[in-house]
Amino acid sequence: MAEAACNDPTDLEETKPLTMMSLTEEARDGSSTSKHGLVEFENRFKDPEEKTPVSATVRKFFKKKTSDCGVKSTLLGLFPISSTLRKYDVKEDLPNDLIAGLTAGVMMIPQGMAFAALSTLPPIVGLYISFFASATYALLGTGRQVSWGCIAVLSIMMGQILDKYDASVEDDNAVICQNGTVVTAITNTAANDTADDKSSDPSDPVTSRRMEVASGVTLVAALVVILASRLGLSRVASLLSNSLITGFTVGIAFHVGSSQLKEILGVSVARQSGIGAIVKTWIEILKKLPDTNVATLITSAICILAIYLVKRFINEKYKKRLRVPIPIDLVVAIIATLVTEYARLHKDYDVRVVKDVPVGLPAPKIPDLGLSSSYIGDGLIIAVVAYTQTLALTKTFGLEHNYPVDPGQEMLASGVVNVVCAIFSGYIAAGSVSRSMVQNGAGGRTQIASLVAAIMVLMVILFAGPYFYYLPKCVLSAIIMVSLRSMMLKLLTIPDMWRRSPLDCTVWVFTCAAVVILNPDLGLLASVVLSLLIVVLRTMVNPVTEAGQIDIGDSISVEIRSLRGYSAAKTTRHAKIIKIKTPIFYVNSEAFVNGVYEKTGVNPLEIRKAKKKMEEKSAKEKSSQGSYKKTNDDLGAGNGNIEEDKSLKSSNGTKLEFSGHEAKCRVIVLDAAQMAFVDLMGVQAIQMVIKEMKTVGVEVLISSLPENVIPLLKSTGFWEKHGEILFLSVDAALASLVATEQQRQAESVN
């Protein structure tokens, strides 16, 4: 142990008199250092490390995995519904699940068709997704109240992919004439009809290929998700915070609302994509305002008003009294269909309708992956968003109803669900927030409710398709517009969010703005980059802080707290406690070194510069007057008897002040309790601080090192070289100073 250069041990005792008094008593018998040194502790209590060959480790891993692969354990793990059924109470649970399932199923029908239209695919695709996603998730998912199916956010993102495909097809069909004029083989229908007006018949060749693109993207993304779940990568959702997801969904809401205005007005507008798509869409809509279809606008207004009034003033206001909310979406869809058919709105007033809706389930088919190979990256982004939203929803209900949620199983379920959807002509699905809330509010207790909802949708697919021929598309848009209300209301939470957490609010606003200004995938990518940048900046800005000790009233309890915000924290003149607040790694290693210099007021480089400057000045004065002398030792520690010029300026203008006979700091204790991890550059930075401080007579002690950083310290040689300055706690480090000083004084007396 290096000798501590502490002039007066009572300075340390002033910091926390009660605790330091007991530590001083321990120090008298020389036991404090051995008891509280980290190296001694590890040698006494750390179990010896087993050096197992890699081959043996691999065999052990696979043996453990295969031993858990019994039929019963596999079924219970792969199909969580099996555990639910074993405890299922038919009398108590079944009535609630039936009511909740029927309620969710009623919502699925119009919402599924409406959200599928957002993707520019036939409305029947939404019903396919609603059935297969709900049925599959009920078997594999751990969320008992989560309702799976078509989601507006995912649908609009899938629509972006299909827009790229449409653009590539048009480019491929362009031919060059002899005069150099580009002629497109396929007529550009965007000028007259929107992409949403393409055939709603899945058997149409163009529509069929577009469905294969969506299914192909979904299949590959789902297989990647399944593989990730088996590799234990379910924590990938941690990259997307709640603030990011919320801002993303609100930004998507602007895209969704803008895309539906043309149907509300009954005008033909080319579907826009790329950066500034919303602005382009609004410009086109404003140009087409004179062409508004009055019958379509009136129908839209009536439907929006009816749906809003019932949801806002009946379903929401009396939700505690209503066991089942009024299925106003389905009621409005049925009434509008009947009115359109018998009032001849489609034929006489040109109100657009859904037209042919196929009857029956689609045949299973592996999509042509060649069509979708260029859009796999986009599909993976959608799959991550789907999994993240579903996991957050599942965890919410798990906490509410006190049942476990397995993120790995949820990721597996998400992958398998989307594989099934892809094989049966669908695209990426996820848990719906609105329908899940309704299913939960209606009393749903288990996954059986989702099965009931799936059966109800199946009945519509098998038998009710032809009855939706005259369903106006503007009614589907009205359903979508009202469903956006809850997301738009989140804009009002921005001021409160800013007061609670400015950084989270920044991520929220940036994500929403990026999604609106750019497009969903670029906006999401930019937001993830910002979130990671904020995490990095948090480690770079003030990685250390000066701390003191607070005596909380008994002889052994002393807390270490930063001086900022804790006026009761006490410090000493010669020993400073520096709390490390972040991991020390390559990103902030330099900031860590500079932070220690700043908080302690000791910058070895500046001191050496000042020393050199003063030596040069002294040499000049000696040669001219021969009366000014100063020793190198006093200058090196800043401990000289300086009668003149007590402060000197360094080359960069920084003042270096010397307080008469006393140095500002002689001992630094680095409290590493909050240092989550350290890398090689971090170890080098700590070593640099120790080495540089030693050159100016300042001793560095390190306390409270987390267990997980010890192996790296051992492998780098830090442990062996600096083991004597490592302590279990700040108290132990300070006690060692007292013991060392008492030993030095005793030796000087003798």
Side-chain angles (χ1 to χ4, degrees):
M1 169 83 181
E3 179 177 298
C6 183
N7 292 339
D8 186 1
T10 59
D11 286 338
L12 295 173
E13 295 178 12
E14 290 174 0
T15 304
K16 46 177 188 135
L18 296 177
T19 301
M20 286 310 302
M21 191 179 298
S22 62
L23 291 172
T24 305
E25 291 174 357
E26 288 185 3
R28 291 195 182 106
D29 61 7
S31 62
S32 177
T33 302
S34 63
K35 281 185 178 181
H36 302 287
L38 182 58
V39 174
E40 176 65 21
F41 176 85
E42 289 290 310
N43 291 338
R44 288 180 60 189
F45 298 106
K46 176 67 175 174
D47 295 334
E49 297 181 2
E50 298 180 2
K51 295 183 179 180
T52 308
V54 177
S55 58
T57 304
V58 173
R59 287 197 302 270
K60 184 178 179 181
F61 172 79
F62 282 105
K63 183 177 180 180
K64 184 179 182 301
K65 290 295 183 181
T66 54
S67 64
D68 297 336
C69 291
V71 176
K72 183 177 180 180
S73 61
T74 301
L75 289 176
L76 292 178
L78 187 59
F79 300 101
I81 193 173
S82 58
S83 299
T84 302
L85 294 177
R86 293 170 62 190
K87 302 176 183 178
Y88 197 77
D89 188 336
V90 176
K91 293 183 179 180
E92 291 290 332
D93 296 336
L94 186 58
N96 288 277
D97 285 339
L98 284 174
I99 294 174
L102 291 173
T103 305
V106 166
M107 290 185 64
M108 277 184 184
I109 296 167
Q111 284 191 1
M113 299 178 72
F115 294 155
L118 288 175
S119 68
T120 69
L121 291 176
I124 189 63
V125 173
L127 297 182
Y128 295 158
I129 294 172
S130 297
F131 168 67
F132 287 107
S134 295
T136 308
Y137 182 79
L139 301 176
L140 297 169
T142 58
R144 299 174 186 176
Q145 288 79 26
V146 178
S147 175
W148 269 64
C150 248
I151 304 298
V153 172
L154 308 183
S155 297
I156 198 74
M157 293 179 75
M158 186 58 70
Q160 297 281 341
I161 293 178
L162 294 176
D163 288 343
K164 293 179 182 179
Y165 169 74
D166 292 340
S168 68
V169 169
E170 291 183 1
D171 291 340
D172 291 341
N173 287 328
V175 295
I176 306 299
C177 295
Q178 291 181 355
N179 59 2
T181 304
V182 178
V183 180
T184 303
I186 296 179
T187 303
N188 184 7
T189 59
N192 304 312
D193 300 304
T194 70
D196 296 331
D197 289 328
K198 293 178 180 179
S199 174
S200 61
D201 183 5
S203 62
D204 178 76
V206 175
T207 304
S208 178
R209 283 195 298 273
R210 300 178 83 250
M211 290 174 62
E212 282 205 68
V213 171
S215 298
V217 168
T218 300
L219 179 61
V220 176
L223 292 175
V224 173
V225 169
I226 293 175
L227 178 62
S229 71
R230 297 302 86 191
L231 294 177
L233 300 179
S234 57
R235 293 183 181 179
V236 68
S238 302
L239 293 175
L240 306 181
S241 64
N242 289 337
S243 299
L244 190 150
I245 288 294
T246 305
F248 179 77
T249 54
V250 174
I252 284 289
F254 282 95
H255 283 274
V256 173
S258 299
S259 68
Q260 296 308 298
L261 287 176
K262 59 183 180 295
E263 294 294 351
I264 297 293
L265 300 174
V267 296
S268 297
V269 176
R271 185 180 177 91
Q272 305 295 326
S273 60
I275 298 176
I278 289 182
V279 176
K280 297 174 185 177
T281 299
W282 277 87
I283 291 175
E284 293 298 320
I285 288 174
L286 292 176
K287 290 180 179 178
K288 292 295 182 71
L289 277 180
D291 300 330
T292 299
N293 186 306
V294 177
T296 300
L297 180 60
I298 293 174
T299 302
S300 302
I302 293 174
C303 292
I304 290 174
L305 185 63
I307 295 172
Y308 171 75
L309 292 176
V310 173
K311 286 189 173 183
R312 176 68 180 86
F313 296 102
I314 298 179
N315 289 353
E316 291 183 12
K317 189 174 182 179
Y318 300 102
K319 61 181 178 180
K320 293 183 178 179
R321 300 182 185 180
L322 291 173
R323 178 65 184 276
V324 178
I326 298 174
I328 186 62
D329 292 346
L330 185 61
V331 171
V332 167
I334 293 174
I335 293 175
T337 301
L338 294 174
V339 171
T340 301
E341 180 178 3
Y342 292 105
R344 298 174 60 87
L345 296 181
H346 170 56
K347 296 180 179 179
D348 297 343
Y349 298 96
D350 199 25
V351 174
R352 298 174 185 165
V353 295
V354 172
K355 296 185 179 180
D356 294 317
V357 177
V359 175
L361 292 173
K365 176 184 178 183
I366 302 297
D368 183 1
L369 300 182
L371 293 174
S372 56
S373 58
S374 301
Y375 318 109
I376 301 303
D378 298 317
L380 288 175
I381 294 176
I382 302 176
V384 171
V385 173
Y387 166 66
T388 304
Q389 175 175 314
T390 304
L391 181 62
L393 192 60
T394 306
K395 286 183 175 179
T396 300
F397 290 122
L399 291 173
E400 180 180 345
H401 296 281
N402 193 29
Y403 60 79
V405 173
D406 182 359
Q409 179 64 25
E410 283 297 302
M411 179 172 269
L412 175 65
S414 180
V416 175
V417 165
N418 287 314
V419 166
V420 174
C421 288
I423 293 175
F424 288 95
S425 303
Y427 56 85
I428 298 174
S432 167
V433 175
S434 59
R435 289 197 303 271
S436 297
M437 292 298 181
V438 169
Q439 183 169 312
N440 179 61
R445 298 188 178 184
T446 70
Q447 297 94 322
I448 299 298
S450 294
L451 287 177
V452 173
I455 292 173
M456 186 171 185
V457 175
L458 177 62
M459 295 298 101
V460 173
I461 294 174
L462 294 179
F463 305 110
Y467 298 103
F468 287 104
Y469 183 96
Y470 286 103
L471 173 62
K473 288 186 175 182
C474 64
V475 174
L476 298 179
S477 297
I479 294 172
I480 292 173
M481 296 294 281
V482 177
S483 70
L484 298 178
R485 170 178 166 269
S486 60
M487 286 189 279
M488 291 301 187
L489 288 177
K490 292 179 181 178
L491 291 169
L492 302 178
T493 66
I494 292 178
D496 181 61
M497 188 185 307
W498 177 260
R499 287 190 293 269
R500 289 187 284 115
S501 176
L503 283 178
D504 286 335
C505 184
T506 300
V507 172
W508 195 103
V509 174
F510 177 85
T511 303
C512 181
V515 171
V516 171
I517 297 173
L518 304 176
N519 53 48
D521 50 357
L522 286 179
L524 180 62
L525 181 60
S527 303
V528 171
V529 171
L530 175 67
S531 298
L532 295 178
L533 183 61
I534 288 177
V535 172
V536 172
L537 289 177
R538 279 178 167 175
T539 65
M540 295 180 65
V541 179
N542 297 327
V544 298
T545 185
E546 186 178 357
Q549 296 171 301
I550 301 177
D551 185 358
I552 61 178
D554 55 62
S555 60
I556 61 172
S557 298
V558 174
E559 286 294 324
I560 307 297
R561 288 291 186 270
S562 62
L563 300 185
R564 184 178 181 180
Y566 291 88
S567 58
K570 297 180 181 179
T571 61
T572 66
R573 288 174 294 178
H574 295 302
K576 288 188 179 292
I577 302 172
I578 303 298
K579 185 185 287 290
I580 302 175
K581 302 188 299 181
T582 66
I584 305 301
F585 59 122
Y586 70 96
V587 170
N588 67 348
S589 57
E590 184 177 354
F592 162 73
V593 174
N594 294 332
V596 173
Y597 293 166
E598 178 186 350
K599 299 300 180 183
T600 59
V602 179
N603 189 323
L605 179 61
E606 299 297 343
I607 290 177
R608 288 197 294 270
K609 287 182 179 179
K611 172 185 173 181
K612 184 176 180 181
K613 182 177 180 180
M614 294 176 71
E615 285 178 342
E616 293 174 353
K617 180 179 180 180
S618 176
K620 290 180 181 179
E621 291 180 352
K622 283 179 64 177
S623 62
S624 60
Q625 301 178 5
S627 59
Y628 189 82
K629 296 182 180 180
K630 195 168 294 291
T631 63
N632 288 341
D633 292 338
D634 289 340
L635 290 169
N639 197 26
N641 185 13
I642 304 175
E643 297 296 334
E644 300 179 3
D645 197 12
K646 290 185 178 180
S647 64
L648 296 174
K649 287 188 177 181
S650 65
S651 58
N652 61 3
T654 303
K655 275 194 174 184
L656 303 171
E657 297 183 0
F658 300 91
S659 309
H661 293 279
E662 299 178 357
K664 279 189 173 182
C665 177
R666 303 302 298 273
V667 178
I668 300 172
V669 180
L670 297 178
D671 179 9
Q674 297 179 7
M675 187 176 70
F677 64 88
V678 65
D679 68 356
L680 290 176
M681 288 189 66
V683 174
Q684 292 173 3
I686 297 173
Q687 287 178 322
M688 180 179 177
V689 169
I690 297 171
K691 179 181 177 181
E692 291 293 305
M693 289 297 180
K694 189 174 182 179
T695 62
V696 293
V698 179
E699 184 175 9
V700 177
L701 306 179
I702 302 175
S703 70
S704 311
L705 280 169
E707 180 183 342
N708 61 295
V709 308
I710 293 177
L712 183 61
L713 298 183
K714 290 182 177 180
S715 64
T716 55
F718 184 95
W719 186 267
E720 182 179 356
K721 185 177 181 180
H722 302 289
E724 75 278 1
I725 68 171
L726 306 179
F727 295 90
L728 290 172
S729 64
V730 174
D731 290 349
L734 295 176
S736 72
L737 296 177
V738 177
T740 302
E741 183 63 22
Q742 289 179 345
Q743 182 180 359
R744 186 185 67 81
Q745 291 179 356
E747 291 175 354
S748 63
V749 170
N750 295 334

